[in-house]
Structure formats: C-alpha cells, structure tokens
Amino acid sequence: RKNPATKGTVLVFHGNADRAADRIYYGPELSALGYRVLLAEYPGYGGRKGSVGEKYFVEDGLETLKQVSEQYGGPVYLLGESLGCGVAAAVARVSPVPVDGIILITPWDTLKAVASEKFPLLPVSFLLTDSYDTVQNLQDFKGPVVVAGAGEDEVIGFSHAENLYASLPARTRKMWKKMEGAGHNNWLNYTDSEWWKEIMSFASSGK
C-alpha cells in the first residue's frame, strides 16, 4: 500500500555467501530517514529455489523491482553491497521501471578485473560465465550514483571501487565515499547516521 509520507523505497541486493535476512541492519538506518526498505533475495539463496548466476539474479531483480513499483510507486532506489552492486547496476541498465538513484557499497568495476587480479596466471576471460560489468552497465544511467569503497577491502580490493567511480561519465551525478580503515565485511562499523543521511540525500537529489 502506498504511503505518501514515505520518501521512497530502497531495494537492497546483498552480497555473495549471505542471505537477505542477514542484512536487516539496513532497516533501522534507512527507515529512520523516511525510506521503506525491502531486501531482495536471489534464486538459490536463503532457502529459495532457482538457478544461481547473473542471468537469473538480474531477471529476478527486474521482477522484484516491477512488483515494488506496482505496489508502492516511486521513487525507487537500488542499493547494492559487493555482489549486489553488480546485480543492481545490471538491473538498472535494462529496467523499464524508473530507478531514481543507486548506492553501491564495496563494489567492483568488472568481475573480470577482480578475477584477473586474484588469479593472474589463469585465462579468466574464458573461465568466467558471468560478467557483472558494472562499468558498462552504468554508462547510460541518468540518476545519481553513490560509490562507497572500503579503504582496506581485503576481498575485492579498494582499487576496484576507485576504478568504478572514475569510469562513470562526466555527466553522471556521482558521489565518492571512502570508508577509511574499513574492510569488506566490517564497513558498517565505519558509518553512522550522518553518513547514511548524506548518501541518501545525494541519491535522492534527482527528485
């Protein structure tokens, strides 16, 4: 049911090896700012049936976004964490439903770039079945984009968040947030209510 007092809906796509239920901490932070928070779950995760992979995650994300728009209207914002950044960007690129802003936390530029860095001796271009090319998927996005990188990201590597931000076109309304000292899995400890207020204020600046 639509609530005119709500500033909009934030649809969250979580990281790999997690469940949507593990990301309930988004609720208090974002609801305190006036946003409805919905946690998307991927096929094959959290007890859901379905095939795992970029194609299936994006298809499911599109369907979820459609349902959110039909039930609540806009504005709708996509928030991705780690793997979820790749899903959010891919969903935004092909969605017929308007996406009003994107927040990417501990993102990568492309999955190929991350894999090549971790496995320099392997022909990763031939081995990868998913691309998750966040750089390409955001090239034509018209809304605000927030990129938040963990300064000590031991899983993806901070440089990939930097590269992603730098790759965004000059016309893109973009915000860069470096979480000094934060790691890939403890970044939340390096945020506070003011941090969330700042990024959501920017992400919603197109409205």
Side-chain angles (χ1 to χ4, degrees):
R1 192 170 58 186
K2 295 182 180 180
N3 180 357
T6 301
K7 294 180 180 178
T9 301
V10 180
L11 180 58
V12 177
F13 294 97
H14 65 78
N16 191 32
D18 285 315
R19 303 172 301 159
D22 297 326
R23 291 297 179 263
I24 58 173
Y25 52 71
Y26 287 109
E29 296 289 355
L30 295 171
S31 61
L33 296 174
Y35 295 94
R36 179 187 299 106
V37 182
L38 298 177
L39 306 176
E41 187 58 282
Y42 307 128
Y45 281 63
R48 283 194 64 191
K49 295 181 179 180
S51 300
V52 173
E54 182 177 14
K55 175 179 182 292
Y56 306 105
F57 291 177
V58 174
E59 287 177 353
D60 193 76
L62 285 169
E63 181 59 30
T64 302
L65 177 56
K66 177 184 175 183
Q67 292 176 9
V68 169
S69 178
E70 290 175 349
Q71 184 166 354
Y72 301 113
V76 179
Y77 306 96
L78 303 185
L79 187 154
E81 180 184 343
S82 190
L83 168 68
C85 297
V87 177
V91 167
R93 182 178 68 86
V94 297
S95 175
V97 175
V99 173
D100 296 281
I102 298 177
I103 304 99
L104 304 175
I105 301 174
T106 63
W108 59 55
D109 39 9
T110 71
L111 182 58
K112 177 184 175 182
V114 175
S116 295
E117 182 178 81
K118 291 186 176 296
F119 308 104
L121 301 181
L122 294 179
V124 294
S125 296
F126 298 101
L127 297 175
L128 291 176
T129 57
D130 294 330
S131 61
Y132 288 112
D133 190 338
T134 307
V135 170
Q136 186 59 42
N137 286 334
L138 291 178
Q139 288 302 298
D140 297 320
F141 183 69
K142 301 297 192 296
V145 179
V146 178
V147 178
E152 302 298 327
D153 195 323
E154 73 286 5
V155 176
I156 291 177
F158 177 68
S159 64
H160 295 285
E162 287 186 305
N163 293 341
L164 173 61
Y165 182 80
S167 77
L168 295 173
R171 65 180 180 276
T172 303
R173 285 173 290 172
K174 56 185 180 178
M175 170 183 278
W176 169 246
K177 297 289 288 183
K178 179 180 181 180
M179 296 175 283
E180 295 281 359
H184 190 77
N185 295 311
N186 71 348
W187 62 268
L188 185 67
N189 297 333
Y190 294 78
T191 68
D192 55 23
S193 58
E194 286 302 312
W195 188 90
W196 287 103
K197 182 178 180 180
E198 183 180 2
I199 67 167
M200 288 310 302
S201 177
F202 185 85
S204 61
S205 62
K207 298 304 294 178

